[in-house]
Amino acid sequence: MSQGLEGYLYVLFDAYSTRCKIGRTTRTGSKRQRSIMGAHPVPTINVLYARVANCVASEAQCHRHFASRRVNGEWFDIQADEAIEYIHEHIDWCELDFESLGKIASYIITAHLSMGR
């Protein structure tokens, strides 16, 4: 793995808007995601966490692929399964951890009910 670039690619899912944030971090244990999730005004779930040899290049590749669906910054109008599928098939990952789509669907329903949507 390339020194200094090894890290993690992650996908956060906003249950209310059903949008995803694709980001990167060099921190282990999802600390970066938890800080973003805590600051986000609506519930989010960490749907994917992939260890990659080059987190900068992997994030850039994902951002290019979904560029036409960018909403703001690193947030994209894509479904969680689209992000998972793309990363699984097109990113050179070393280790992949993700939530089941059933759990994500349950989370969306719960979030929408709690927000009166």
Side-chain angles (χ1 to χ4, degrees), residues 7-70:
Y8 301 88
L9 184 66
Y10 63 85
V11 176
L12 298 181
F13 180 73
D14 176 327
Y16 192 71
S17 70
T18 65
R19 293 179 175 153
C20 289
K21 178 185 189 310
I22 301 172
R24 64 179 162 88
T25 184
T26 56
R27 300 181 203 170
T28 59
S30 306
K31 290 179 185 177
R32 171 84 175 129
Q33 296 91 303
R34 284 195 299 273
S35 68
I36 292 167
M37 291 164 71
H40 198 63
V42 296
T44 58
I45 186 171
N46 189 4
V47 297
L48 181 133
Y49 194 64
R51 186 169 60 91
V52 294
N54 187 327
C55 63
V56 174
S58 296
E59 179 193 45
Q61 181 180 337
C62 289
H63 286 191
R64 277 191 307 275
H65 178 76
F66 292 113
S68 66
R69 297 170 66 191
R70 185 184 306 267

